[in-house]
Amino acid sequence: LCVSLTNAVTEEMTGGDAKRELLTKKEKRAIRKAKRQEKKAKRQEERAKRQEKRAKKKKEGTEDLSSPLAFYVVGDVPYSEMEECLLPFELRKLKTIDNGGGHFLIHLGDIDDGRPPSGRQYNQCPESVYSKVSDIFELSPVTTFFIPGDNTWVDCADVDLAYRNWNKHLFHYNTRTDLNWPTLRTTVYRDHPTRHELFAFSLEDMLFLGLSLPGTARNDEQFTEGAGSSSDRTQLHRDNEEWTTRWFEKYPTDEIKAIVIFAHDAIGETNQPFWSWFAKFIRKDYTNVNILIVHDSHDFDEEAGFLSMENVYLLSIDDTVTPIKIEVDTTATKLLDVFQHNHYETCWCSSDHKPTQLKTNNIPSCNGACDESHAHCKGSSLF
């Protein structure tokens, strides 16, 4: 009897501890959610004030018409048939909703979910994946660039074949002349002897760099030991360092007021050697120029003071199919005024990725709609 009572008490106490632990986790999640909502409200309020200020300057005729400069970013799409259905509509909406306000679009990598088929160790990465994405982005209204992620490169069964597919279909996508894109009015440099994915260009008083920093490789052995041009992580970091140095040194800081760097991964352990080098490089000569790093992540986040530097702002883009608009205003003085985004205005529907209400379509899997509060995502007039 004593043993039974002891066991009963123990079970009750254990259950109570579990409940308390569960409650604590729920409380923590609630706190995190509240903080995110508070941050969102604050950013929206700040953005509204900036827009009001700009509207006033425009009315008074004192607006600097050369700034801000806008562009779009998207990443981790398409991962599903649903996203393949919706992404074309999202690309068309850039022109319809935004009146073509962005100068270019950057895909930050991972054009497939990267999951190996059943019974296989690595993603097979058929060429059709790359050509399909190429076809979808023909609907982009502006010059489009692609940065490779890990899913359809270093996670593939044949890493170098995957790289060649990237090079064939997507690395030089911005040079397409058959899509009637508005002229970018600048020279895009993509002249690294082996890294065809690296690019650089300047617009007005801003420098834009595309780097090659995929996340952790599932096929790490082939990636680090292969003999092809796409292999060897150490060499990859070295190539990125040389490319960054070349373009930072080309433009004096009194000519360039803002620098934007696009990369697939900025926070993963795999690429920390590069970012450690980058921090030292910036601290040496470039603490007076505002720098934005935009990278791909499955969760949206932002960090002013990234790498412990007050002039560096990290923007982590989540995996929604709605491209995010970023504006760079070099007439502003504060870091968060120089770099602004509309993430909180885009249509995000948890993990279901249903950002567009399709009034009529013949594909049942495409049906879906955002919450009605997302005005940008509703109405047949958008299509």
Side-chain angles (χ1 to χ4, degrees):
L1 180 62
C2 289
V3 172
S4 299
L5 287 172
T6 302
N7 289 340
V9 171
T10 301
E11 289 177 5
E12 184 178 352
M13 290 177 64
T14 303
D17 289 341
K19 288 180 181 178
R20 282 192 292 272
E21 183 179 352
L22 182 63
L23 183 62
T24 301
K25 288 181 179 179
K26 287 182 178 179
E27 289 174 342
K28 288 181 178 178
R29 283 197 294 268
I31 292 172
R32 287 196 297 268
K33 183 178 180 180
K35 286 183 177 179
R36 287 195 299 269
Q37 291 175 336
E38 183 180 353
K39 181 188 288 188
K40 175 180 177 179
K42 184 176 181 181
R43 291 301 303 272
Q44 288 176 322
E45 183 181 351
E46 291 174 350
R47 182 177 177 83
K49 288 180 179 179
R50 288 193 293 266
Q51 290 175 335
E52 184 180 350
K53 187 176 180 180
R54 284 183 194 164
K56 183 178 179 181
K57 285 186 176 182
K58 187 174 182 179
K59 187 176 181 180
E60 294 172 348
T62 59
E63 182 187 30
D64 184 348
L65 298 178
S66 66
S67 191
L69 183 145
F71 57 88
Y72 310 106
V73 292
V74 70
D76 282 338
V77 290
Y79 271 23
S80 64
E81 290 184 3
M82 168 69 80
E83 293 181 350
E84 290 174 17
C85 291
L86 295 177
L87 188 52
F89 289 92
E90 293 303 301
L91 293 172
R92 290 193 189 102
K93 280 163 57 178
L94 293 180
K95 185 174 183 178
T96 306
I97 296 175
D98 201 42
N99 297 318
H103 285 68
F104 56 88
L105 183 148
I106 305 285
H107 191 297
L108 295 167
D110 282 357
I111 56 174
D112 179 89
D113 65 11
R115 296 176 183 174
S118 179
R120 299 292 185 94
Q121 183 178 2
Y122 304 118
N123 188 6
Q124 298 306 294
C125 304
E127 186 175 354
S128 59
V129 170
Y130 309 85
S131 61
K132 175 179 62 182
V133 170
S134 174
D135 291 342
I136 290 174
F137 276 84
E138 288 182 354
L139 293 171
S140 170
V142 291
T143 301
T144 299
F145 298 81
F146 285 88
I147 289 174
D150 44 281
N151 288 2
T152 48
W153 178 17
V154 297
D155 289 347
C156 298
D158 190 328
V159 170
D160 289 325
L161 176 60
Y163 186 86
R164 290 195 293 274
N165 283 331
W166 269 98
N167 191 42
K168 178 180 179 180
H169 294 282
L170 299 173
F171 284 160
H172 306 277
Y173 203 78
N174 64 287
T175 64
R176 297 274 301 259
T177 58
D178 59 319
L179 300 178
N180 298 316
W181 284 331
T183 304
L184 196 55
R185 300 184 184 281
T186 188
T187 299
V188 177
Y189 295 91
R190 198 187 289 270
D191 56 359
H192 191 278
T194 57
R195 298 284 172 200
H196 307 294
E197 65 270 36
L198 299 174
F199 63 84
F201 60 91
S202 62
L203 277 173
E204 299 175 8
D205 51 359
M206 310 168 205
L207 173 64
F208 298 89
L209 292 183
L211 301 184
S212 180
L213 295 166
T216 302
R218 180 178 285 123
N219 195 349
D220 188 62
E221 182 176 353
Q222 187 183 123
F223 181 61
T224 56
E225 297 180 4
S229 64
S230 72
S231 302
D232 188 343
R233 179 78 65 170
T234 301
Q235 183 61 47
L236 178 65
H237 289 164
R238 191 177 299 120
D239 291 340
N240 280 276
E241 291 169 12
E242 292 173 354
W243 187 256
T244 302
T245 302
R246 170 186 169 183
W247 292 103
F248 268 68
E249 292 182 348
K250 178 178 175 62
Y251 295 99
T253 54
D254 59 345
E255 293 182 13
I256 293 296
K257 304 303 182 184
I259 299 174
V260 181
I261 295 175
F262 304 104
H264 179 70
D265 172 53
I267 58 176
E269 184 177 349
T270 300
N271 292 309
Q272 284 312 298
F274 170 80
W275 293 112
S276 295
W277 169 86
F278 181 80
K280 294 177 182 177
F281 177 73
I282 296 303
R283 288 191 184 99
K284 184 178 180 181
D285 293 308
Y286 298 97
T287 56
N288 293 324
V289 59
N290 292 306
I291 299 172
L292 171 65
I293 299 170
V294 189
H295 83 120
D296 187 31
S297 178
H298 292 286
D299 298 299
F300 179 84
D301 199 6
E302 50 190 332
E303 181 182 348
F306 181 58
L307 299 174
S308 300
M309 292 184 288
E310 293 182 356
N311 63 315
V312 180
Y313 177 30
L314 176 70
L315 199 58
S316 302
I317 302 303
D318 54 24
D319 47 4
T320 174
V321 301
T322 307
I324 292 174
K325 181 181 178 181
I326 297 175
E327 294 180 340
V328 185
D329 185 353
T330 56
T331 66
T333 55
K334 296 181 180 180
L335 185 65
L336 294 182
D337 288 338
V338 175
F339 303 115
Q340 303 164 40
H341 62 81
N342 74 335
H343 174 264
Y344 298 123
E345 297 176 10
T346 58
C347 197
W348 172 241
C349 303
S350 67
S351 60
D352 292 332
H353 296 187
K354 299 177 182 178
T356 302
Q357 181 172 351
L358 305 181
K359 295 290 187 181
T360 57
N361 65 73
N362 298 320
I363 308 175
S365 63
C366 285
N367 291 321
C370 264
D371 182 272
E372 291 184 358
S373 63
H374 292 286
H376 285 297
C377 307
K378 290 195 67 199
S380 57
S381 62
L382 300 180
F383 315 123

